Amino acid sequence: MQTTLDMYCVMGNPVAHSRSPWIHARFAQLTQQALDYRRRLVPLQGFAEDLQQLIAEGGKGCNVTVPFKLEAAQAAHSQSPRVALAGAANTLVIDGDGRIHADNTDGLGLVADITRNAGVAITGKDVLLIGAGGAAAGVLGPLLEQQPRSITICNRTFAKAQTLVEQHAPLAAQQKVELLAQELQALEGDFDIVINATAASLQGAGTPVTARVLRPGCLAYDMMYGAAATPFLAWAQAHGATGRDGLGMLVEQAAESFALWRGVRPPSQQVLEELREVIAQETKACTR
Ligand code: ATR
C-alpha cells in the first residue's frame, strides 16, 4: 500500500536559499515524524492563488517568508493573537477542510534564541529595536511579553516606529513595559540588548546607529544570518558588544512551527549546532 507523506513547504520569493527544508527534514528525523517539506517559489503577484493550489494538493501547512507575510495573515480564516497584533504571519496550518489558521512564530524564535540559547534574560532590560518593518512588527509582541524594562524603537522612517508603538501600546501597558519611538538620527540612551531588524546590512549600508547605544557587555543581535549579518555584528563586536546572528532565531521559529503542525517539540538546540557546522563546512568549501 502506498502512503503519502504529510506535505509542508516554505512559500517565498526568493526562496532558493532557504534553510527551512533542511531544518524541518532534520526535525522530522529526530522526532520520527514522516513528512515532506519543500521550497515553493511563489510568483510575486500570485500568493493567494498558490496557497489555494497548495490546499488543493493536500498541503497540511507552510512557512511564509519575504515578501508574503502580510498576505499570509490576510489569507487565513483565523489568526492567533500574535498575528492580529503584528499583521503578519510566518506559519499557516491547514486543516482537513482546507481552512487556514495563521500564526507568527518569529518573535517566539527570537526570544527563545536570546534567552535559552544565548542565556541572556530580556526581563528587566533596556532593549533597542532598530527597524519598524515586517520583521520588527513580528517580534515586538513576544519581546514585550518578556517584560523588559523598556523597548525603544528607532527607524529611518520615524512615522513607522511611531505606528508600531501605537499598535503595541495596550500590550506594553499590560506588561508594564516602557515602549517608545525615537528618531534614528537623534537617538538618546544606551541599551542592554540591541536588535537589528532592518534590511540595512543586507544592502551593505553600514550601521544606522552610533556605538553610544551599546552599554558595556551588551548583546547585539542581528535578525539576519550569514554574510548579511556580518557588518552589524562586526561593528558591534569592535565596540565591545557580544554579537549574535539570527540563525538561532531561524531554527527556533521553525521549531515553533513544527510543534504547531505536529504537536511535537523538536530538539532545536541540537539542530542549530548541526546547521552551524553545515554552514561552516560550506563556507570552507567555497573559500578553498
Ligand atoms: P522586513 O519585512 O524585512 O522588515 P521591510 O518591511 O521592507 O522589510 O522593512 C525593512 C526595514 O529596514 C525598515 O525598517 C527600513 O527602514 P524604513 O522603514 O525607513 O524603510 C529598514 N532599512 C532598510 N534599508 C535601510 C538602510 N539603508 N538604513 C536604515 N534602515 C534601513
Side-chain angles (χ1 to χ4, degrees), residues 131-135 155-157 160 198-200 203 205:
N155 192 46
R156 184 175 59 180
T157 312
K160 280 166 70 179
T198 72
Q203 298 169 358

Side-chain angles (χ1 to χ4, degrees), residues 182-197:
Q182 281 205 43
E183 300 267 4
L184 191 57
Q185 302 308 330
L187 184 57
E188 298 276 344
D190 55 358
F191 303 87
D192 304 297
I193 301 174
V194 175
I195 301 169
N196 182 24

Side-chain angles (χ1 to χ4, degrees), residues 41-256:
L41 177 65
V42 178
L44 287 174
Q45 305 306 325
F47 180 78
E49 208 178 307
D50 216 55
L51 181 58
Q52 288 311 314
Q53 181 66 32
L54 177 70
I55 295 170
E57 291 164 14
K60 301 276 191 227
C62 61
N63 286 126
V64 181
T65 187
V66 174
F68 301 120
K69 290 184 182 183
L70 301 182
E71 279 185 78
Q74 287 156 8
H77 299 97
S78 62
Q79 299 180 335
S80 72
R82 284 190 289 267
V83 172
L85 191 59
N90 77 334
T91 306
L92 299 179
V93 183
I94 301 165
D95 73 13
D97 298 325
R99 290 182 66 79
I100 305 162
H101 176 72
D103 211 325
N104 194 325
T105 64
D106 284 334
L108 299 178
L110 174 68
V111 166
D113 192 46
I114 292 177
T115 58
R116 266 208 318 263
N117 300 344
V120 174
I122 298 171
T123 310
K125 302 286 178 63
D126 293 313
V127 177
L128 175 65
L129 185 60
I130 309 167
V139 300
L140 188 50
L143 282 174
L144 285 166
E145 283 165 3
Q146 290 294 301
Q147 299 190 305
R149 183 163 68 183
S150 68
I151 298 182
T152 301
I153 305 175
C154 66
N155 192 46
R156 184 175 59 180
T157 312
F158 180 56
K160 280 166 70 179
Q162 284 177 306
T163 303
L164 265 192
V165 167
E166 280 161 24
Q167 282 166 348
H168 288 75
L171 179 61
Q174 188 195 55
Q175 299 292 334
K176 301 188 172 53
V177 181
E178 187 188 350
L179 177 63
L180 59 150
Q182 281 205 43
E183 300 267 4
L184 191 57
Q185 302 308 330
L187 184 57
E188 298 276 344
D190 55 358
F191 303 87
D192 304 297
I193 301 174
V194 175
I195 301 169
N196 182 24
T198 72
S201 347
L202 253 190
Q203 298 169 358
T207 300
V209 293
T210 76
R212 281 198 315 270
V213 303
L214 301 171
R215 204 167 268 174
C218 90
L219 175 70
Y221 195 101
D222 199 326
M223 284 168 53
M224 302 286 174
Y225 58 89
T230 308
F232 174 74
L233 296 182
W235 165 82
Q237 282 162 344
H239 292 93
T242 299
R244 189 168 179 87
D245 73 6
L247 197 67
M249 175 180 170
L250 178 76
V251 173
E252 295 294 350
Q253 63 77 32
E256 296 289 343

